[in-house]
Structure formats: structure tokens, C-alpha cells
Amino acid sequence: MLKDLLVPLADSTADDAAIRFAIELGESQGARVRIIETVYLPPPAIGTPDPTPRPSFLAAQDALRKEAADRAARIRARTAEHPGISVEVHEAGTETPAELAAQLAFSADMAILGGWSGFATPDPIGLALFNALLFEAGRPVVVIPPHWRPSGNACAIVGWKGTPNACRALHAAIPLLQLVQSVQLVEICRYRDELDEADTVMPSLVEHLRSWGIAASATKLSGRHRRSSEVLVDHANAAKASLIVVGGYGHSRLREWAIGGMTRELLLGAAIPVLYAH
């Protein structure tokens, strides 16, 4: 059961979809939904003879605060009929909005983020939020494509591989998997012998999910000549799935995160919500 959902807004076309998804999920779980409108306040220029902020700089900061407050008021009016939905305005100060979102996510069960599926490149603000929530806060993140609409909960696809990230994603997704009619665990195999090899892990995962009341099954798919993300998305489309669950992968260079290939491909190519966990 989920009790606290965080929705950091990225000032993108997918923010509305993220809010809709979070409200629907929050009401099904009886969870609080915190919608975060962040105000980024850049610091005064350094290296000037007089460090005192100029009136024009202070006026610009006040304008930024007012714009964020107005946006939050509009969202608050739209969500007024939903109990348990709160809209908060946070000032980032000299921190980046992504760092602030990661701090707020420490007290959330899950983060909901508007995505950029169908675009050629990730949105820089959204990507920074995604990296901070997933890799720095360590929270499961559900990325919602811009044009998402509720379409029933017939099926969910779990991309399985024997890694800690995939395991975390599967278990983090259980509250969402309980909302769908069926769940397919899908392992993508590169070689023929992997397809034919007996598997002892996936049957035990199916049994575990069934103990949660989830109608689960397992299958293996060949991915020898195709990208794993492409195989997974095509299978999800064929199954009319409403959710994909995968481990989120990346690597760190000091404080900068770079997402892995499959994670990036799903962020850009999945037309349904995807839950990532790291």
C-alpha cells in the first residue's frame, strides 16, 4: 500500500498527465499526493564590487515567486475536489530544483514524473529530476508520457533479469500490479540456449506475486537481433499493457549521472507509463 506520492513538476507538456496519473493512483491507494511547484531562484552575480543585490534582481526574484504561486493556485483549484491532494510551492534558492526534489522524495513511497516519450531528446529539466529521484533519492519513479489518459488496467509487463535493480522494481511495483487484471514477467534472451534453459527463479517470482493476489505469468522472448527496449515495448503494445516495470540503470561520474541505454530508450519510446527502480 502506498501512502505518500510525490509529483515534482518540470514545467513541461507532460505535467498534466503526471498529475492525472498521481490523482488516480492516490485515490485507489488512499495516499497523499504532494504536487511540487519549484521556484528556482538564481543567486546574485559574484565578482561584482558591490555584493548587495540590486533592486532589479530582487524584483525579478519576486516575479518568479509570484509566477510559481499563480501556477500552484491554478493546480490547487483543479484538484480541490480530491481529498488528500496537496499542492506545495518550494523555493530552490541556490540549490537546483532536482536536488530539492530528491530531498522531498526521501519521505515519499514513489515519485511520479512527466516524461517526454516521442521526443528526439530528453527534456533537460525532466532528465535532471529523473536522475535525482532515481539515483540520488533511491525512489521508484513512474514516468508518464505526455498524452497519457486512463485506458483500463488490463495488463502490466515486468521486464525481468536477475539483477538487484530488476528485483527492486518488481517489488516496488506491487501496489500498482495489484490494480491490473494480469501481469507478465518477461525475460529477453540473447541466445537460443537461454530460451530453452529451465528457469527456477521466474516460477518462484510468479508464485510470490500470486501470494499478493496478482494474476502473474512468465515468458521468455528472443532479443538476439533487436534492442531489448524495442522487444519490450512491442510486447507491451501487443498485450495492450497499461504499465511497464523495469530496473533503472546508469553510471555516476562524481555527481553527474548518465542513464543507461535501455533506460534512455524507454524514456523516449514508451507510450505508456514506465516504473523504474534503482
Side-chain angles (χ1 to χ4, degrees):
M1 182 69 72
L2 300 170
K3 290 300 182 183
D4 205 322
L5 304 175
L6 185 76
V7 189
L9 302 182
D11 194 23
S12 73
T13 57
D15 282 347
D16 285 346
I19 292 172
R20 286 194 302 270
F21 182 93
I23 289 173
E24 182 175 284
L25 179 59
E27 290 183 332
S28 73
Q29 299 285 301
R32 178 177 70 146
V33 178
R34 288 183 293 157
I35 302 172
I36 307 299
E37 178 68 61
T38 303
V39 188
Y40 172 57
L41 301 177
I46 60 174
T48 57
D50 183 4
T52 305
R54 295 184 177 183
S56 60
F57 175 82
L58 296 176
Q61 287 204 328
D62 288 342
L64 290 172
R65 290 190 181 99
K66 185 179 185 305
E67 289 175 7
D70 290 345
R71 289 193 300 268
R74 289 193 293 270
I75 298 170
R76 196 175 289 112
R78 285 169 46 199
T79 60
E81 61 188 57
H82 301 281
I85 309 299
S86 62
V87 181
E88 303 175 8
V89 178
H90 290 265
E91 294 184 4
T94 58
E95 301 175 14
T96 67
E99 288 174 344
L100 177 61
Q103 293 171 8
L104 297 172
F106 287 146
S107 58
D109 298 310
M110 184 175 290
I112 314 295
L113 183 65
W116 44 93
S117 174
F119 292 88
T121 57
D123 170 70
I125 296 175
L127 183 58
L129 285 170
F130 177 79
N131 285 345
L133 294 166
L134 186 67
F135 298 123
E136 295 180 24
R139 296 288 73 208
V141 181
V142 185
V143 177
I144 312 301
H147 304 296
W148 177 84
R149 292 289 188 280
S151 59
N153 294 314
C155 176
I157 303 297
V158 178
W160 175 253
K161 58 192 300 187
T163 65
N165 287 348
C167 183
R168 291 187 189 101
L170 172 65
H171 289 279
I174 282 177
L176 279 67
L177 300 181
Q178 290 176 314
L179 301 176
V180 302
Q181 297 175 19
S182 64
V183 173
Q184 294 184 29
L185 272 72
V186 175
E187 182 178 5
I188 300 172
C189 301
R190 289 292 168 196
Y191 304 102
R192 181 70 191 182
D193 57 347
E194 292 178 335
L195 285 168
D196 298 333
E197 185 179 18
D199 193 310
T200 59
V201 175
M202 291 180 71
S204 67
L205 291 173
V206 167
E207 183 180 355
H208 177 72
L209 291 176
R210 287 176 179 173
S211 73
W212 281 96
I214 297 169
S217 61
T219 187
K220 293 184 178 183
L221 299 177
S222 174
R224 184 175 180 181
H225 301 297
R226 302 174 67 198
R227 296 193 304 272
S228 296
S229 60
E230 184 182 3
V231 175
L232 203 60
V233 167
D234 284 352
H235 188 72
N237 291 339
K240 300 189 184 325
S242 57
L243 176 70
I244 295 174
V245 176
V246 293
Y249 296 88
H251 60 273
S252 175
R253 294 180 178 178
L254 297 177
R255 290 179 58 84
E256 296 295 327
W257 278 92
I259 56 177
M262 180 172 178
T263 302
R264 175 181 289 271
E265 289 161 7
L266 286 174
L267 285 171
L268 296 177
I272 60 175
V274 181
L275 183 149
Y276 303 86
H278 177 75

